[in-house]
Amino acid sequence: MSDNVLQVERFLEMLSAERGAARNTLDSYRRDLTHFGEFLAGPLTQATDEDIRDYLARLHDDGMATTTAARRLSALRQFYRFLYAEGTRRDDPTATVDSPRRERPLPKLLSEDEVDALLRAAREVGESAEGRRLVCLMEVLYATGMRVSELVTLPLAAAAADRPTLVVQGKGGRERVVPLNEPAREALAAYREVRGRFVRRPIDDAWLFPSRSRGGHLTRQRFSQLLKELAQAAGIDTTKVSPHTLRHAFASHMLAHGADLRVVQKMLGHADISTTQIYTHVLKDRMSRLVRENHPLRGSESD
């Protein structure tokens, strides 16, 4: 058994024994480390930070996806930390190596007209309990931009009848207060009149949107299904529509109408404003396209 194979197997034994790594995970680490060993053409225990940077550059030149390259670097980081902790190496060559920069894909966007069409389709469901709930879900989601998981798990106490805001429990247990616009407040008031029809067990009554699900509240999957049905009724490509695209629509439409970026950040519950800034790129791309398509001099020759 070569030294490279021996070191990799020692590392995998640790992952299995101490971390309970699954067989597929172990196989993935073995492939990634073997691939780096083949590139190195030498002992893994003697790799330098420059070797690792050259390896990442090769992966980039070969057209490997950034996410895959980042996963391979993660495997190398864990491997060399293990060797350092075991005393096999006196340093960690990955410590000064930056992760490949992941290009954040721009979110799919719904236009304001498309959102209006979805809201009209929801209202056309009628004044039944299901119809009122659907309108309320749509209006509240578009008014606040909250995550669908936050929406369906809103406790009843989060929406006091005399308060024009919602208290939202976000990621990491961070709580935020988001305002409701007039259509959302009206939809919520109309839904409250029929909410009791969805309460069938004591557990259901704790939630703003109770359901017969195991958790007692409407599930993300059910809401996504309802949204797809609305998109079809509104004549919108169903692949464009999801709870997350409504969240994107809220953010981009708010910014397009002059909202402050930090206000949008707080409403979305983003811990870092850089996450919110992606919507400024979306707007820049849209504005550039509008100028190209609609500028009065677009077809004229330059002087």
Side-chain angles (χ1 to χ4, degrees):
M1 182 182 293
S2 70
D3 184 62
N4 280 357
V5 173
L6 177 63
Q7 298 298 340
V8 170
E9 291 305 318
R10 287 179 57 226
F11 169 64
L12 297 178
E13 286 175 10
M14 180 277 293
L15 289 181
S16 177
E18 297 184 13
R19 303 184 190 176
R23 173 54 55 188
N24 287 344
T25 301
L26 298 176
D27 290 343
S28 177
Y29 276 117
R30 183 181 287 107
R31 285 193 299 271
D32 290 346
L33 294 171
T34 299
H35 190 266
F36 177 61
E38 292 170 352
F39 166 83
L40 193 63
L44 287 170
T45 55
Q46 296 179 21
T48 66
D49 56 350
E50 284 303 313
D51 290 329
I52 294 171
R53 289 190 182 92
D54 289 344
Y55 175 63
L56 293 175
R58 172 67 65 81
L59 297 181
H60 179 270
D61 292 343
D62 289 346
M64 178 171 285
T66 305
T67 50
T68 305
R71 190 204 71 218
R72 293 204 173 172
L73 176 58
S74 176
L76 293 177
R77 287 195 198 282
Q78 295 191 58
F79 175 67
Y80 283 108
R81 286 170 185 166
F82 166 75
L83 294 185
Y84 176 71
E86 291 288 300
T88 305
R89 283 191 63 117
R90 299 177 61 183
D91 66 336
D92 174 5
T94 68
T96 59
V97 178
D98 293 330
S99 296
R101 294 190 62 181
R102 302 186 183 190
E103 294 183 1
R104 184 177 293 168
L106 295 179
K108 293 180 180 179
L109 279 184
L110 291 171
S111 69
E112 293 182 41
D113 286 343
E114 287 173 323
V115 173
D116 285 341
L118 288 171
L119 292 172
R120 284 197 305 272
R123 295 187 193 102
E124 289 169 2
V125 172
E127 284 294 308
S128 64
E130 288 77 12
R132 291 192 186 191
R133 184 181 67 174
L134 185 56
V135 171
C136 183
L137 287 163
M138 293 293 295
E139 290 285 6
V140 169
L141 185 58
Y142 184 54
T144 64
M146 70 177 69
R147 301 174 181 91
V148 64
S149 57
E150 297 169 344
L151 176 70
V152 298
T153 59
L154 280 171
L156 180 59
D162 59 346
R163 190 174 58 211
T165 58
L166 285 177
V167 180
V168 180
Q169 193 81 14
K171 286 186 175 180
R174 292 188 296 270
E175 195 174 87
R176 67 187 190 276
V177 178
V178 294
L180 293 173
N181 58 22
E182 189 62 30
R185 291 199 295 270
E186 291 176 356
L188 187 54
Y191 164 68
R192 280 181 179 279
E193 296 175 358
V194 297
R195 174 187 166 276
R197 300 183 193 179
F198 298 99
V199 177
R200 297 176 176 86
R201 302 164 298 173
I203 189 178
D204 305 344
D205 203 32
W207 307 104
L208 181 59
F209 297 107
S211 160
R212 286 180 292 181
S213 70
R214 181 180 300 175
H217 58 75
L218 188 71
T219 64
R220 292 178 300 168
Q221 294 80 5
R222 177 55 180 157
F223 179 57
S224 295
Q225 181 185 6
L226 292 170
L227 193 53
K228 294 290 185 184
E229 292 172 1
L230 276 184
Q232 191 169 19
I236 300 172
D237 181 358
T238 57
T239 63
K240 288 181 62 178
V241 179
S242 70
H244 214 56
T245 55
L246 273 178
R247 177 170 161 86
H248 295 321
F250 160 82
S252 58
H253 297 170
M254 285 278 288
L255 290 170
H257 286 277
D260 182 85
L261 187 65
R262 290 202 176 274
V263 172
V264 176
Q265 175 197 0
K266 289 180 180 179
M267 291 190 69
L268 291 173
H270 287 160
D272 191 331
I273 198 168
S274 63
T275 308
T276 319
Q277 284 174 328
I278 187 172
Y279 298 106
T280 64
H281 302 316
V282 171
L283 293 174
K284 287 176 183 176
D285 289 346
R286 177 185 288 177
M287 286 188 288
S288 296
R289 186 176 67 253
L290 288 173
V291 169
R292 287 196 307 270
E293 294 175 355
N294 300 302
H295 196 284
L297 299 181
R298 67 187 184 279
S300 65
E301 296 181 0
S302 59
D303 293 336

